[in-house]
Amino acid sequence: MEYKVEKLKVNYKTLEEFKRFKEYGLQELSMLEDLQANIIDNDSESPFYGIYFGDLLVARMSLYKVDAKFNRYFEPPHDFLELWKLEVIPDYQGKGYGKALVEFAKKMNLPIRTNARMKSKDFWKKMGFESVTYDMARDRGENPLFWFPENFSQKEI
C-alpha cells in the first residue's frame, strides 16, 4: 500500500499531535521536546515528517541533512541524512507506515545514518541498513547503522 508522507509544520496543532505519541510511545522516542524547541507558527522548514490515517498522525520521524563539513564518517567528506525518532502508534504498527517513512528518506539519494533503538535492529536490517565498524571517538557510545544509495561508491566508513 502507498502512503503519503507529509512534511509536518512546526505549529501548535503538530505539538498537540505529538503529545498523543508521548501517551502511546516511549519517553525516549518522543519528539515533543524537539518540536517545542523549534516552534515557529506554521514553519514549513521543519525536520519532521509524518503519515496521517484520516486526521490522525500515526507515524512520524525526524530527518536532518548533515552538511559534508560536519561529516565524521566519509573521506572525502560527503553530505548525508540522519533519521531519528521513527515512531508508529502501536495500533498502526506492522502495516507499512515505518517502511514508507524510510523509503521516503531513501528517495533523497543520500546515505542515511540512524541508531537502532528498542529492539528495532531487525527492522533496520530489513530496510537495507548496515552496521559500521565501531570507532569510539567518532561514534561516542552509539551504534550507528547506515543505508547507502546504489550510486554511492564509498561504503567504507
Side-chain angles (χ1 to χ4, degrees), residues 24 58 87-98:
Y24 288 103
V58 297
E87 187 175 8
V88 178
I89 290 177
D91 288 346
Y92 295 85
Q93 292 175 0
K95 298 179 179 168
Y97 291 102

Side-chain angles (χ1 to χ4, degrees), residues 39-58:
I39 203 156
I40 301 169
D41 198 32
N42 282 320
D43 180 11
S44 61
E45 292 304 312
S46 83
F48 308 114
Y49 294 85
I51 300 173
Y52 286 88
F53 182 83
D55 290 336
L56 178 66
L57 180 65
V58 297

Side-chain angles (χ1 to χ4, degrees), residues 113-130:
R113 177 189 183 276
T114 194
N115 281 318
R117 298 182 186 263
M118 309 307 275
K119 304 177 187 172
S120 67
K121 196 165 191 172
D122 288 342
F123 168 80
W124 293 108
K125 295 283 185 184
K126 281 196 281 188
M127 295 303 304
F129 283 71
E130 307 169 10

Side-chain angles (χ1 to χ4, degrees), residues 97-113:
Y97 291 102
K99 179 180 178 182
L101 288 171
V102 174
E103 293 297 335
F104 174 85
K106 286 179 176 182
K107 289 178 183 174
M108 296 181 185
N109 212 30
L110 287 171
I112 303 171
R113 177 189 183 276

Side-chain angles (χ1 to χ4, degrees), residues 3 10 15 17 40 42 44 47 62 68 79 81 86 120 122 152:
Y3 295 111
V10 180
L15 180 62
E17 290 171 331
I40 301 169
N42 282 320
S44 61
S62 294
D79 292 350
L81 299 173
L86 177 76
S120 67
D122 288 342
F152 192 72

